[in-house]
CSV table of all heavy atoms in Angstrom, one decimal:
chain,number,residue,atom,x,y,z
A,447,ALA,N,4.4,68.2,102.6
A,447,ALA,CA,3.3,68.8,103.3
A,447,ALA,C,3.7,69.0,104.8
A,447,ALA,O,4.5,68.2,105.3
A,447,ALA,CB,2.1,67.9,103.2
A,448,CYS,N,3.1,70.0,105.4
A,448,CYS,CA,3.3,70.2,106.9
A,448,CYS,C,2.1,69.5,107.6
A,448,CYS,O,1.0,69.8,107.3
A,448,CYS,CB,3.3,71.7,107.2
A,448,CYS,SG,3.2,72.0,109.0
A,449,HIS,N,2.5,68.6,108.5
A,449,HIS,CA,1.5,67.9,109.2
A,449,HIS,C,0.8,68.7,110.3
A,449,HIS,O,-0.3,68.4,110.8
A,449,HIS,CB,2.1,66.6,109.8
A,449,HIS,CG,1.6,65.4,109.1
A,449,HIS,ND1,1.0,64.3,109.8
A,449,HIS,CD2,1.5,65.1,107.8
A,449,HIS,CE1,0.6,63.4,108.9
A,449,HIS,NE2,0.9,63.9,107.7
A,450,ALA,N,1.5,69.8,110.7
A,450,ALA,CA,0.9,70.6,111.7
A,450,ALA,C,-0.2,71.6,111.2
A,450,ALA,O,-1.3,71.7,111.7
A,450,ALA,CB,2.0,71.4,112.4
A,451,CYS,N,0.1,72.2,110.0
A,451,CYS,CA,-0.8,73.3,109.5
A,451,CYS,C,-1.4,73.0,108.2
A,451,CYS,O,-2.3,73.7,107.7
A,451,CYS,CB,-0.2,74.6,109.6
A,451,CYS,SG,1.0,74.9,108.2
A,452,GLY,N,-0.9,72.0,107.5
A,452,GLY,CA,-1.5,71.6,106.2
A,452,GLY,C,-0.8,72.4,105.0
A,452,GLY,O,-1.2,72.2,103.9
A,453,TRP,N,0.3,73.1,105.3
A,453,TRP,CA,1.0,73.8,104.2
A,453,TRP,C,1.5,72.8,103.2
A,453,TRP,O,1.9,71.7,103.5
A,453,TRP,CB,2.2,74.6,104.8
A,453,TRP,CG,3.1,75.1,103.8
A,453,TRP,CD1,3.1,76.3,103.2
A,453,TRP,CD2,4.4,74.5,103.4
A,453,TRP,NE1,4.1,76.5,102.4
A,453,TRP,CE2,4.9,75.4,102.5
A,453,TRP,CE3,5.0,73.3,103.6
A,453,TRP,CZ2,6.1,75.1,101.8
A,453,TRP,CZ3,6.2,73.0,103.0
A,453,TRP,CH2,6.7,73.9,102.1
A,487,ALA,N,12.0,73.7,108.2
A,487,ALA,CA,10.8,73.8,109.0
A,487,ALA,C,9.7,74.4,108.1
A,487,ALA,O,10.0,75.0,107.0
A,487,ALA,CB,11.0,74.7,110.2
A,488,CYS,N,8.5,74.3,108.5
A,488,CYS,CA,7.4,74.8,107.7
A,488,CYS,C,7.5,76.3,107.6
A,488,CYS,O,7.5,77.0,108.6
A,488,CYS,CB,6.0,74.4,108.3
A,488,CYS,SG,4.6,75.2,107.6
A,489,PRO,N,7.5,76.8,106.4
A,489,PRO,CA,7.5,78.3,106.2
A,489,PRO,C,6.3,79.0,106.7
A,489,PRO,O,6.3,80.2,107.1
A,489,PRO,CB,7.6,78.5,104.7
A,489,PRO,CG,7.8,77.2,104.1
A,489,PRO,CD,7.4,76.1,105.1
A,490,ALA,N,5.2,78.3,106.9
A,490,ALA,CA,4.0,78.9,107.4
A,490,ALA,C,3.9,78.9,108.9
A,490,ALA,O,3.6,79.9,109.6
A,490,ALA,CB,2.7,78.2,106.8
A,491,CYS,N,4.2,77.8,109.6
A,491,CYS,CA,4.0,77.7,111.0
A,491,CYS,C,5.2,77.3,111.8
A,491,CYS,O,5.2,77.3,113.0
A,491,CYS,CB,2.9,76.7,111.4
A,491,CYS,SG,3.4,75.0,111.2
A,492,GLY,N,6.3,77.1,111.1
A,492,GLY,CA,7.5,76.8,111.8
A,492,GLY,C,7.7,75.3,112.3
A,492,GLY,O,8.7,75.0,112.8
A,493,SER,N,6.7,74.5,112.2
A,493,SER,CA,6.8,73.1,112.6
A,493,SER,C,7.8,72.4,111.8
A,493,SER,O,8.1,72.7,110.6
A,493,SER,CB,5.4,72.5,112.4
A,493,SER,OG,5.6,71.1,112.4
A,495,ASP,N,7.6,69.2,111.4
A,495,ASP,CA,6.9,67.9,110.9
A,495,ASP,C,6.5,68.0,109.5
A,495,ASP,O,5.4,68.1,109.1
A,495,ASP,CB,5.7,67.7,111.8
A,495,ASP,CG,5.2,66.3,111.6
A,495,ASP,OD1,5.8,65.5,110.9
A,495,ASP,OD2,4.1,65.9,112.2
A,496,LEU,N,7.5,68.0,108.6
A,496,LEU,CA,7.3,68.1,107.2
A,496,LEU,C,7.3,66.6,106.6
A,496,LEU,O,8.3,65.9,106.9
A,496,LEU,CB,8.3,69.0,106.5
A,496,LEU,CG,8.3,70.4,106.9
A,496,LEU,CD1,9.4,71.2,106.2
A,496,LEU,CD2,6.9,71.1,106.5
B,802,LIG,ZN1,3.0,74.2,108.9
Side-chain angles (χ1 to χ4, degrees):
C448 169
H449 250 233
C451 77
W453 170 87
C488 171
C491 75
S493 159
D495 191 6
L496 295 175

